[in-house]
Amino acid sequence: MSSAEDYLRFALALMNEGELGGRRVLSPVFTRAMLTDQLGPGVRNLIGNADPTRADYGFGLGLAVRTRPGVVRLLGSVGDFSWPGASGTNWWVDPGRKLAVVFMAHTPGAARWRYRYLINSLVYQALER
């Protein structure tokens, strides 16, 4: 159990390569490993069967990581990373845009995917290009 603030602090620490508030909380080596696709070339990602919002992502250590442009179904950039919760929570970081988003909702079942797409779209539409 955690809070939106805790999730945001974690996301910001990862976005800042392991630093949070000017203090190192994760090693740079570990942070890079978390944010680097760990799937080998012969490994097929089947996460889309359980959560279509993460289809076509690679996987770092505990996180979904966007490895290629134009493939993933959510808006974002190569290098963005995230992880959704089973009951509708979601957070993601787009380091290229210096963007960290935390979305907390209790929306179990397929409805959670609709809200993940919607929030993602609304956030990126609100950004200046």
Side-chain angles (χ1 to χ4, degrees):
M1 183 163 77
S2 194
S3 67
E5 182 181 3
D6 287 342
Y7 268 93
L8 183 58
R9 291 171 52 81
F10 177 64
L12 291 171
L14 290 174
M15 182 169 67
N16 293 314
E17 300 175 348
E19 288 191 14
L20 181 64
R23 297 182 60 201
R24 176 140 316 273
V25 295
L26 295 168
S27 79
V29 171
F30 184 68
T31 303
R32 277 192 297 276
M34 287 182 74
L35 304 179
T36 300
D37 186 17
Q38 302 293 323
L39 297 179
V43 177
R44 188 164 168 231
N45 174 0
L46 298 177
I47 192 66
N49 295 342
D51 185 344
T53 67
R54 293 309 178 273
D56 304 314
Y57 272 85
F59 283 93
L61 299 179
L63 302 169
V65 180
R66 185 185 304 251
T67 60
R68 296 177 294 161
V71 175
V72 176
R73 299 163 196 186
L74 294 169
L75 298 172
S77 308
V78 171
D80 73 31
F81 54 91
S82 60
W83 197 251
S87 292
T89 60
N90 191 31
W91 67 272
W92 80 89
V93 172
D94 188 335
R97 290 193 167 98
K98 298 287 186 199
L99 175 69
V101 177
V102 175
F103 174 64
M104 300 295 237
H106 182 71
T107 314
R112 70 184 183 267
W113 304 324
R114 179 178 177 273
Y115 290 110
R116 288 178 186 155
Y117 288 125
L118 179 63
I119 295 297
N120 173 266
S121 179
L122 290 172
V123 166
Y124 281 98
Q125 288 179 46
L127 295 176
E128 291 185 41
R129 297 281 170 187

